[in-house]
Amino acid sequence: MKVTKSQLIERIQAESKGLSGDSKKNLLREVLQEAILCHMKEVGLFEDMAFHGGTSLRLLHRIDRFSEDLDMSLVIANGDYDVATPMATLEKSLRSSEINLEFQNKSKADNPIKKYFLNDSEILSQLSRDFGNVMAGEKIKIKFELDILPSDHQIFIKAKIQSAFSATIKAHDLSTCMGQKIHAVLCRGHFYGMDIIKGRDLYDLEWYLKKGIKPNLKNLKECLVRGGPWKDQKLTIDNAWVVNAIQTSIETKDFASIL
């Protein structure tokens, strides 16, 4: 489904009735995310990429929280992957449907997580009368991240976006997603020399546990030895190791500074 600007606006106006201004902005961000994913499908980007992370839980599995980022990984690791080319293709496809997002490349050469910001001010401005709390020059920002050096132990599924803008796309299975969430709980911020805890990590982890999901331990191990306090270590990981590591990590966190 190649979403157009008029379809996007029509849906937001229909679904935003009764919502607060901030909730309307969250809805706009989510509908834009869905439109981006649909265009990615249309131009073939899911041949090389797979969707994962918090937004995949929201859009594919209906977890009850909003998420701002679109997280992707290559299906096959490629340190020489030129992310600018598929992003230019995606931008062209969106513009052909009058969805004129601003693409900002924030990638760094030494970081395998390539980063873009996809910003909208045009649609937000057009809807400002309905939203009621839009500042001059305000933008809806969606962070797009692509891991070009993922683990060899990713497990993929085909999953359908659960909304009016529907497409079947390639994504990580829930066990792989859970392993990556455990990595976030244990290692978030270490790349920048910080030890960070975010409420959404614990919320998502509880969601996995309630669903009875078991983590992809092979993928988790590769993530752990790639970066963080276990970098380059020879690890033997089982469920007991994971439970102990999570308990130890949580006990050392400053919950007063939770983000």
Side-chain angles (χ1 to χ4, degrees), residues 51-212:
F51 188 28
H52 66 91
T55 307
S56 76
L57 295 186
R58 171 73 175 176
L59 300 186
L60 304 182
H61 304 286
R62 305 315 299 171
I63 192 172
D64 188 22
R65 75 168 181 87
F66 284 102
S67 181
E68 296 185 357
D69 303 342
L70 288 174
D71 296 317
M72 305 287 163
S73 70
L74 288 182
V75 175
I76 300 174
N78 179 0
D80 296 322
Y81 189 80
D82 178 16
V83 68
T85 298
M87 295 306 283
T89 301
L90 175 59
E91 183 178 11
K92 181 179 179 181
S93 180
L94 288 162
R95 287 187 175 275
S96 72
S97 294
E98 299 184 317
I99 302 174
N100 301 317
L101 302 185
E102 174 192 15
F103 278 56
Q104 291 184 323
N105 187 352
K106 298 294 184 179
S107 304
K108 295 183 178 179
D110 61 345
N111 191 335
I113 309 298
K114 302 306 177 184
K115 182 186 301 184
Y116 274 72
F117 280 98
L118 281 54
N119 305 325
D120 166 73
S121 57
E122 183 178 288
I123 297 173
L124 180 61
S125 177
Q126 186 170 337
L127 293 168
S128 60
R129 181 175 296 180
D130 294 332
F131 282 22
N133 64 338
V134 178
M135 304 288 289
E138 185 176 352
K139 299 177 181 179
I140 296 291
K141 295 187 176 183
I142 298 171
K143 184 166 66 173
F144 182 104
E145 292 191 339
L146 173 66
D147 186 353
I148 64 171
L149 291 176
S151 159
D152 293 333
H153 300 290
Q154 304 170 96
I155 299 174
F156 306 107
I157 60 171
K158 291 183 178 179
K160 189 175 182 180
I161 300 171
Q162 301 293 311
S163 85
F165 294 164
S166 186
T168 299
I169 62 178
K170 186 175 294 178
H172 286 171
D173 80 331
L174 287 176
S175 71
T176 302
C177 288
M178 184 180 185
Q180 290 164 333
K181 181 55 61 176
I182 292 170
H183 177 260
V185 170
L186 298 178
C187 301
R188 187 180 291 281
H190 276 273
F191 185 84
Y192 304 100
M194 298 180 290
D195 188 14
I196 298 171
I197 184 168
K198 292 195 174 184
R200 67 172 184 259
D201 291 338
L202 300 181
Y203 186 92
D204 291 355
L205 183 58
E206 182 182 21
W207 184 87
Y208 286 114
L209 292 171
K210 286 182 176 178
K211 294 285 186 181

Side-chain angles (χ1 to χ4, degrees), residues 4 12 35 40 53 66 85 101 123 133 179 218 223 227 232 243 252:
T4 65
I12 293 167
M40 288 179 65
F66 284 102
T85 298
L101 302 185
I123 297 173
N133 64 338
K218 290 182 178 180
C223 292
D232 297 330
V243 170
T252 61

